[in-house]
Amino acid sequence: MISIYKKSQGNNDAKFNQIAETLPNSWLDITNADSNDFREVLKLCPNLVLEDIDDVLDESEIPRIEKHDDTIVVILRVPERLVGDKNIFTKTFTIIISPQYFISISPIDTELKKSVFKSNQIYTSQRAKLLISFLSVISEDYIFNIRDYTKKFRQQKLSLESVSAKDVGKLIEVEEVLTEYKSILIPLKSICEKINSGSYIQIHEEDMDLLDDMKNNIDQATVSCGSILEGIKSLRDSYQIVFTNALTKKINLLTALTLIITIPNVITSFYGMNVPLPMQYHPYMSLIILGISLLAISIFIIFVIRRIIG
């Protein structure tokens, strides 16, 4: 679905207005994009060919920035709040900047557009500012999600003694998400550096300061991801020790129960043999055998409690 927006500084527009036709200095937002939408993009960007934008719907595409004559293609990845299919926790989001148009392409409907709408001092003719605004929103989303996963990780550290298989599953999910985030934050910083160099698009000095702050935030987020991943590795090792100890106790308990059951079987089997045995004609022999069995079992249970289970 293609939505077209226009916000003109000359008209003192207070908000992004949705229009029906494509005009110069307008913003085309393509959500739930498919290959059919590429035809419209190629009409507006004659410097591009299908191979230049064929990767924008690829779920595993790495963030990067490319320049094709006077048209810029920025392929990004945005975090998803819900876990996606095939262990994909981010989705592609592409921005194309031509001399007359700003185009955003997403295979899903994201909340990025709503965040950019809140920017009062940005107009659709200011394509560099729009690009930086999207980069800022995306980097803030990553930072917010990383903080959220950091809280979950710290909560799991507190529940180490009562760890369950479900806790391990959650920990693995956090590790997978942060690993993917870290692999995206590094090229995202590279994109900010290339934009800041001015070789791709002309930017103002205040935008350079914003990009510098963004790079610092991305650096901090990358370090946080690495720190949490190291902590997860340590916590996973602790989980393994807890599970190993619990398994050892259960095996010891089962072994002890097996031996407890074996003791009376040995005694009764011995006196069940068809050979002469001591006191076999004693009138209370069955009670004596039962007493001996109970005494042996009691002694063994005390030993198990003190030495094996305890």
Side-chain angles (χ1 to χ4, degrees), residues 94-282:
T94 303
I95 294 174
I96 299 175
I97 301 176
S98 72
Q100 291 187 310
Y101 304 102
F102 184 92
I103 304 170
S104 57
I105 306 173
S106 176
I108 59 172
D109 192 6
T110 68
E111 298 293 321
L112 295 176
K113 179 170 60 176
K114 295 180 181 179
S115 299
V116 175
F117 282 164
K118 298 176 183 178
S119 303
N120 295 324
Q121 302 301 321
I122 298 180
Y123 301 93
T124 52
S125 59
Q126 298 173 317
R127 289 176 283 280
K129 284 186 176 293
L130 268 176
L131 171 61
I132 294 171
S133 180
F134 271 107
L135 289 173
S136 179
V137 171
I138 292 171
S139 62
E140 287 173 2
D141 280 350
Y142 277 112
I143 293 170
F144 176 84
N145 286 6
I146 291 169
R147 288 174 181 169
D148 190 31
Y149 284 116
T150 302
K151 292 179 183 177
K152 292 180 180 179
F153 168 67
R154 289 174 178 171
Q155 289 172 356
Q156 285 199 261
K157 288 181 67 176
L158 297 176
S159 62
L160 182 60
E161 293 301 323
S162 58
V163 63
S164 65
K166 186 177 180 181
D167 294 325
V168 176
K170 290 180 179 178
L171 189 69
I172 293 173
E173 179 183 311
V174 171
E175 185 176 25
E176 288 177 346
V177 173
L178 292 181
T179 300
E180 185 169 338
Y181 281 7
K182 187 177 179 181
S183 68
I184 291 169
L185 288 171
I186 295 173
L188 182 61
K189 178 188 174 184
S190 176
I191 290 173
C192 292
E193 291 174 342
K194 290 178 180 179
I195 294 172
N196 203 12
S197 68
S199 57
Y200 285 83
I201 190 170
Q202 185 177 0
I203 58 175
H204 298 287
E205 187 174 349
E206 62 269 18
D207 296 328
M208 292 183 179
D209 295 335
L210 181 59
L211 283 168
D212 287 334
D213 293 338
M214 208 182 307
K215 286 190 294 181
N216 292 332
N217 290 336
I218 292 172
D219 279 336
Q220 292 176 7
T222 305
V223 171
S224 296
C225 276
S227 177
I228 299 170
L229 288 172
E230 287 294 326
I232 288 174
K233 181 181 178 182
S234 176
L235 186 58
R236 195 173 59 237
D237 292 339
S238 301
Y239 279 176
Q240 185 175 358
I241 293 173
V242 171
F243 282 135
T244 301
N245 290 339
L247 180 61
T248 302
K249 287 185 177 181
K250 288 181 180 179
I251 292 175
N252 289 340
L253 178 60
L254 291 173
T255 303
L257 290 174
T258 302
L259 292 174
I260 289 171
I261 294 172
T262 303
I263 291 173
N265 285 337
V266 171
I267 297 173
T268 55
S269 297
F270 182 76
Y271 271 88
M273 293 188 296
N274 192 18
V275 294
L277 295 169
M279 300 176 66
Q280 64 179 354
Y281 298 112
H282 194 283

Side-chain angles (χ1 to χ4, degrees), residues 281-296:
Y281 298 112
H282 194 283
Y284 299 108
M285 195 58 208
S286 60
L287 294 176
I288 293 172
I289 293 174
L290 180 61
I292 293 173
S293 299
L294 291 175
L295 179 62

